[in-house]
Amino acid sequence: MRQPYLILALLAVTTPALADGTPMIRPSRDVAVEYRSGAMAQGPAGAAVTMRFSSKSGRIRIDGASGRGYAILDPGAGEMTMVMEERHMYVERQADPGMIAMFKATNAAFKKTGSDTIAGVACTIYNATFNDHSGQVCLTSDGVMLRARSADADRQRELEAVTVNYADQPANLFEVPAGYQKLEMPNMPPGTNVGPHGGGPGGQPGR
C-alpha cells in the first residue's frame, strides 16, 4: 500500500502537531475527504484517495484508489494496520517512528500567506517549516487539510481535496472487520510496505 503511506508521510512533513500560535491542524470533528494527488514521487497523477478522521478515537483511515484494502493509523498508539479485503487478512505493525514523531512535534513555524476555497470550503494558506522540511498547506478553521504541497527537493508531492463530507464516521470503519485473519510477519521493520491486494512486504505477491 505505497500510495497511502506516501500520503501519510506528506501529512507528517507538512502538518506538525498543534502548538501555541499555530493553526489547528487536525480535524476537530468527524470528516471524510477525497483527495487527488499531483506531482508525487510515486504513483500516477490524479489518483484518488479518501481519508477519514475520527474525532473520538483520533484514528485516520486511508482508502486507496484500487478499493482492495485500506490502512488505519493510530497516532496515539504509534501503530498502523494494513487491511487486505480480498484475502480477509490484516497486518499490524509499528508505525514509522519518524512519522509519529513528526505528528507529535511542536517545533514548527507557520506563516499565513493568503486564503483559498477548495472543494467549496474556505481555507487559509500557510507556509510551514519543520526542522529541515518545508511545504505549504491550506487549512480550514476546524483543522481539515484541503491542500498540501511539499517543497523539499526529494519530497515534491501534492494533494488537493475534491470532496469534503462532514458526517459522523462509524467506529467500525477504524477497526479490522470481524473474522479477518491476522497475518504474522516477524522481523518486519517499520516502514515496510504491504500490498493491499494480498502482497507481501514491498507489495510483492504473497507465496
Side-chain angles (χ1 to χ4, degrees):
M1 187 173 284
R2 293 173 182 267
Q3 187 184 51
Y5 201 84
L6 288 171
I7 289 165
L8 286 172
L10 174 60
L11 287 172
V13 168
T14 57
T15 58
L18 185 64
D20 291 341
T22 67
M24 182 179 294
I25 57 85
R26 293 182 187 174
S28 59
R29 51 181 171 148
D30 287 14
V31 64
V33 185
E34 180 184 354
Y35 297 96
R36 292 196 181 274
S37 63
M40 299 183 72
Q42 299 183 41
V49 64
T50 299
M51 298 186 69
R52 303 176 188 273
F53 299 86
S54 170
S55 60
K56 300 177 183 67
S57 67
R59 292 182 174 182
I60 303 168
R61 170 171 164 156
I62 310 97
D63 290 81
S66 69
R68 296 178 176 178
Y70 54 91
I72 301 170
L73 177 69
D74 187 339
E79 296 177 348
M80 177 177 282
T81 303
M82 316 298 288
V83 180
M84 296 165 277
E85 293 183 292
E86 287 187 343
R87 296 185 62 185
H88 284 206
M89 301 179 75
Y90 68 98
V91 175
E92 291 180 343
R93 61 179 173 81
Q94 180 185 0
D96 183 87
M99 181 186 299
I100 295 300
M102 290 178 186
F103 270 111
K104 296 181 177 181
T106 57
N107 55 337
F110 288 82
K111 181 179 180 182
K112 182 178 177 180
T113 61
S115 60
D116 202 349
T117 299
I118 300 172
V121 182
C123 60
T124 302
I125 303 170
Y126 297 90
N127 287 336
T129 58
F130 168 70
N131 291 341
D132 58 342
H133 301 290
S134 62
Q136 185 187 84
V137 292
C138 201
L139 301 167
T140 66
S141 60
D142 55 1
V144 179
M145 186 201 74
L146 299 183
R147 183 170 59 224
R149 294 171 177 164
S150 175
D152 296 346
D154 60 341
R155 289 178 177 268
Q156 293 184 2
R157 305 182 181 114
E158 178 179 349
L159 290 176
E160 184 166 320
V162 292
T163 62
V164 180
N165 181 24
Y166 286 104
D168 288 342
Q169 301 298 308
N172 63 355
L173 291 178
F174 303 88
E175 303 286 348
V176 176
Y180 276 42
Q181 179 184 356
K182 184 176 181 179
L183 180 62
E184 299 289 350
M185 302 190 73
N187 302 320
M188 184 173 64
T192 301
N193 292 310
V194 179
H197 54 290
Q204 297 301 316
R207 297 183 183 276

